[in-house]
Amino acid sequence: MLHNIDLNKFLSLFTYVPDDPLLFSTAEFLFFFFAFLIFYSAFSKSRNFRVYILIIFSLFFYYKAAGLYFLLLIFSSLFNFSAGKFIGQSESPLKKKTALIASIVVNIGVLFYFKYTNFFIEIINHIGSSAITPLDIFLPVGISFFTFKALSYVLDVFLEKMEPEGSFRDFLLYVSFFPSILAGPIDRAPEFLPQVKGDVKIPENYIGRGIFLIIAGLFKKAVIADYIGVNFVDRIFEMPTRYTGVENLLAVYGYALKVYCDFSGYSDIAIGVALLMGFKLMDNFNSPYQAASIAEFWRRWHISLSSWLQDYLFRPLQMKFRNLRTLGNASALVITFLICGLWHGASYTFILWGAVHGLMMAFALFTKKPKQMLYEKLGISNSKVLHVLQVIITFHLIAVTWVLFGATSFSSAMDMFSQIFNYFKGGVFVQFVQAFPSVFALIIAGYVLHFIPKSFEVKSAGLLTKTPLWGKALILAVMIWVVAQAKSADLQPFIYFQF
Amino acid sequence: MISDRLKKTILNVLHLEDFEIQDDTRADEVPGWDSLNHINVILAVENEYKVRFKNIEVLKLKNIGDLQKLVDSKTN
């Protein structure tokens, strides 16, 4: 009897278990990944073999997360591969354009069906006071990510940024590559595909940087984000009215750190895991809270998405509206960020969050000249003081908008602000620090780390590259032990997994 | 080869004294030529040469050499 249970447990490692994907910070993933890595380093000397191993493991990895929906991944790859080929081979601009539009309709249609159908049924019910029953639709994880990735390839072929890919096998690996399948980075074909065909030898500095990123990512995700989330931030966001204004305010600061550590930590692990296999994915975060304007924040936050939106949505819109000049730019920004909000999830709060970001940037466009004149009058343009002020103001604007992003509903977000303004109770701060010293310490540490100069990171990764292999393994083992200590009893889902 | 006329148009709209522009210079390598300023540069070039580009023609440009070629194809 006993060995039956064990066998079932062992078998369940290899089969799809709903709501139990192989998250990067779980013991199961680390077990699979290290087993895979040993196998991979032994057999990846041959280019063909390496690609097949990666495809099989990637499809298995996605099957673990989404069950039979891994077929959707194969369909998406096949469809977009064919669309790219067709556009590349067509002579007439009209044919190219028709194929592009058809491809956009199919990609966005599939994404829309899985992700937004019920949200729109809700809106229709709301407007027409009808009562259409929501459908029972399974949301395949990562669908927003791999749809955008595959679509960018078709657009790149259309815009003649690259030749259509000849090998379906290589293209399938591009779409399904397991490190970035669940939560990005949304890599681009012109950067990724040459690596599939390139040298199979893994450079020394990839290993050092890879391990550094995995360690940093585990620390950000499993220590900072999960710990302050479970023990403090999430509780306030669930029931803001049960807590004082000062706790709500601290939760706003805590959430801004949590959402960054959660998502960038996951990205770091993804990029690190890819490096250990010899693939360089694009950078996704660059100390976003060091930004001195909202526009700069978007050049540092979720870069693979913001650059995607800029290249394929903002630029075409901006060209269309160019006769309106600044107003054209502003309209293109607002539309882009409305869609950016919607991309994050099917709810009013996400759309509003995107709209506010778009409007803030549009406002900055119109006030650029008078602001510049004012700074010159005061003699503070390009001064350090001004820069520090801009960073502080930008951060607070972003932190306030995160409340919309993280709140369970719009009214719950408003409750948080009303608690902060009407029921502050500053004295509770001391009690909070006494009751939650580790949460408070982690929040402070997280922000201090965020403002450390980049050169420190480069130096650390360089040191790790020089460390012998047993040393690297030891450091990684220590980090995994620290994560295990910090882990709460139940697994925290990634904030970005619903996207 | 980037013509003086095109170079002057670009420098004027970006308020630059002088900047070395080659065929393979990319827009983001020129100070002040960011994604928001991009339309001002395109509009200035269209006005200077009295031409109108299609949106897709502009989106396909990879560098300033491509822009020069596009202008040439419209003016000849």
Side-chain angles (χ1 to χ4, degrees):
Chain A
M1 190 66 206
L2 191 68
H3 66 266
N4 273 346
I5 296 169
D6 282 351
L7 187 67
N8 284 339
K9 209 170 171 167
F10 182 72
L11 284 175
S12 79
L13 278 178
F14 295 90
T15 49
Y16 165 61
V17 181
D19 301 323
D20 192 19
L22 281 174
L23 300 187
F24 287 166
S25 54
T26 58
E28 287 94 343
F29 173 76
L30 291 169
F31 157 76
F32 268 115
F33 181 60
F34 283 112
F36 173 75
L37 209 55
I38 291 165
F39 186 76
Y40 182 80
S41 32
F43 292 101
S44 66
K45 303 285 180 286
S46 132
R47 186 169 305 148
N48 287 341
F49 208 72
R50 178 177 81 143
V51 176
Y52 286 121
I53 299 174
L54 282 171
I55 288 175
I56 290 165
F57 190 75
S58 294
L59 290 176
F60 164 71
F61 184 84
Y62 194 69
Y63 160 77
K64 280 288 293 173
L68 275 179
Y69 282 91
F70 81 92
L71 295 169
L72 189 66
L73 203 55
I74 297 175
F75 163 77
S76 174
S77 307
L78 199 56
F79 174 80
N80 288 295
F81 176 75
S82 312
K85 223 181 175 86
F86 184 85
I87 290 171
Q89 284 166 348
S90 301
E91 294 292 329
S92 80
L94 183 68
K95 257 191 182 168
K96 284 181 195 275
K97 203 168 177 170
T98 312
L100 175 75
I101 291 168
S103 146
I104 292 172
V105 168
V106 171
N107 278 295
I108 302 299
V110 170
L111 179 61
F112 190 93
Y113 167 77
F114 283 107
K115 208 169 150 171
Y116 302 101
T117 305
N118 284 335
F119 178 52
F120 277 85
I121 287 177
E122 188 190 319
I123 291 174
I124 293 164
N125 285 344
H126 197 82
I127 295 169
S129 60
S130 52
I132 309 165
T133 347
L135 307 173
D136 181 20
I137 299 174
F138 176 83
L139 178 64
V141 279
I143 187 168
S144 311
F145 292 93
F146 71 74
T147 302
F148 265 40
K149 194 154 83 164
L151 191 54
S152 79
Y153 160 77
V154 179
L155 285 153
D156 280 349
V157 172
F158 180 78
L159 294 171
E160 292 166 23
K161 287 184 181 163
M162 67 180 293
E163 289 294 312
E165 172 58 45
S167 153
F168 173 66
R169 185 196 68 183
D170 292 0
F171 186 74
L172 177 61
L173 179 58
Y174 163 65
V175 178
S176 63
F177 192 54
F178 78 89
S180 53
I181 189 79
L182 298 183
I186 306 166
D187 232 50
R188 302 285 181 90
E191 275 74 48
F192 188 87
L193 283 165
Q195 299 185 59
V196 180
K197 300 171 195 316
D199 196 1
V200 291
K201 206 172 161 308
I202 300 171
E204 184 71 18
N205 63 343
Y206 274 28
I207 313 268
R209 184 157 173 77
I211 292 183
F212 173 79
L213 284 171
I214 292 172
I215 290 170
L218 281 173
F219 181 72
K220 276 185 192 169
K221 161 66 197 154
V223 180
I224 297 183
D226 285 355
Y227 191 86
I228 66 174
V230 177
N231 295 297
F232 171 60
V233 176
D234 300 356
R235 297 176 197 176
I236 313 273
F237 268 77
E238 273 157 32
M239 299 263 183
T241 47
R242 288 179 52 183
Y243 300 89
T244 59
V246 77
E247 286 162 304
N248 272 279
L249 182 64
L250 283 164
V252 173
Y253 285 114
Y255 185 76
L257 183 69
K258 178 187 144 152
V259 76
Y260 165 72
C261 286
D262 191 294
F263 190 25
S264 78
Y266 199 84
S267 272
D268 286 347
I269 302 171
I271 296 166
V273 163
L275 281 171
L276 293 187
M277 292 177 303
F279 288 85
K280 199 167 182 294
L281 299 177
M282 75 188 283
D283 284 339
N284 219 10
F285 289 87
N286 178 13
S287 312
Y289 298 145
Q290 290 185 22
S293 70
I294 303 288
E296 190 190 341
F297 168 78
W298 279 103
R299 287 194 291 274
R300 293 164 165 269
W301 173 273
H302 201 179
I303 301 163
S304 67
L305 174 71
S306 56
S307 66
W308 195 105
L309 291 167
Q310 176 175 295
D311 289 350
Y312 305 118
L313 188 61
F314 175 75
R315 282 180 184 280
L317 286 170
Q318 170 194 46
M319 273 305 130
K320 226 181 193 47
F321 305 151
R322 68 179 175 277
N323 290 343
L324 303 170
R325 290 190 178 254
T326 307
L327 184 64
N329 262 338
S331 317
L333 269 175
V334 173
I335 295 171
T336 302
F337 276 90
L338 270 174
I339 290 175
C340 175
L342 188 62
W343 180 91
H344 282 82
S347 83
Y348 292 115
T349 44
F350 284 127
I351 298 173
L352 190 63
W353 168 79
V356 172
H357 269 267
L359 289 168
M360 286 194 294
M361 279 182 277
F363 178 78
L365 278 183
F366 288 114
T367 53
K368 196 175 161 182
K369 278 208 172 90
K371 259 198 323 203
Q372 209 45 51
M373 274 154 63
L374 178 71
Y375 296 153
E376 270 158 28
K377 232 189 188 128
L378 296 170
I380 53 169
S381 52
N382 300 330
S383 70
K384 251 214 147 49
V385 177
L386 178 67
H387 182 79
V388 170
L389 273 175
Q390 285 173 324
V391 171
I392 293 172
I393 292 168
T394 302
F395 169 74
H396 282 84
L397 287 172
I398 290 160
V400 167
T401 53
W402 279 139
V403 174
L404 281 173
F405 192 92
T408 47
S409 68
F410 181 73
S411 62
S412 168
M414 291 304 116
D415 285 344
M416 286 187 83
F417 295 127
S418 109
Q419 292 298 92
I420 292 169
F421 287 108
N422 306 323
Y423 187 66
F424 193 70
K425 300 271 183 278
V428 175
F429 178 71
V430 179
Q431 291 169 30
F432 166 81
V433 177
Q434 283 167 343
F436 296 105
S438 45
V439 170
F440 187 70
L442 273 177
I443 293 178
I444 300 287
Y447 278 117
V448 168
L449 284 170
H450 193 88
F451 286 89
I452 282 177
K454 203 144 186 75
S455 56
F456 176 79
E457 186 189 320
V458 176
K459 269 200 195 100
S460 313
L463 271 178
L464 207 55
T465 305
K466 289 193 190 83
T467 314
L469 192 61
W470 63 265
K472 287 179 186 144
L474 184 70
I475 295 167
L476 190 59
V478 168
M479 193 66 226
I480 291 170
W481 180 81
V482 170
V483 167
Q485 300 308 308
K487 252 196 179 338
S488 51
D490 57 342
L491 177 72
Q492 280 307 288
F494 286 93
I495 294 179
Y496 263 78
F497 267 34
Q498 49 189 315
F499 305 145
Chain B
M1 197 42 210
I2 306 295
S3 70
D4 284 345
R5 188 177 170 193
L6 179 63
K7 184 173 164 177
K8 212 185 230 148
T9 311
I10 293 169
L11 294 183
N12 268 343
V13 79
L14 298 171
H15 311 297
L16 291 172
E17 287 291 307
D18 190 26
F19 188 79
E20 185 66 28
I21 297 179
Q22 302 290 351
D23 276 334
D24 59 358
T25 307
R26 290 196 327 270
D28 58 11
E29 292 170 327
V30 184
W33 192 339
D34 57 16
S35 59
L36 294 170
N37 239 333
H38 189 57
I39 53 166
N40 297 327
V41 178
I42 297 300
L43 284 167
V45 174
E46 285 180 325
N47 288 338
E48 171 70 27
Y49 290 92
K50 304 282 175 289
V51 292
R52 176 81 182 170
F53 304 132
K54 289 191 185 127
N55 299 345
I56 179 84
E57 288 170 332
V58 181
L59 293 171
K60 278 183 184 170
L61 302 175
K62 285 188 227 31
N63 52 39
I64 304 178
D66 283 354
L67 179 61
Q68 179 72 57
K69 277 190 215 127
L70 180 62
V71 168
D72 293 345
S73 74
K74 295 271 175 185
T75 48
N76 291 338

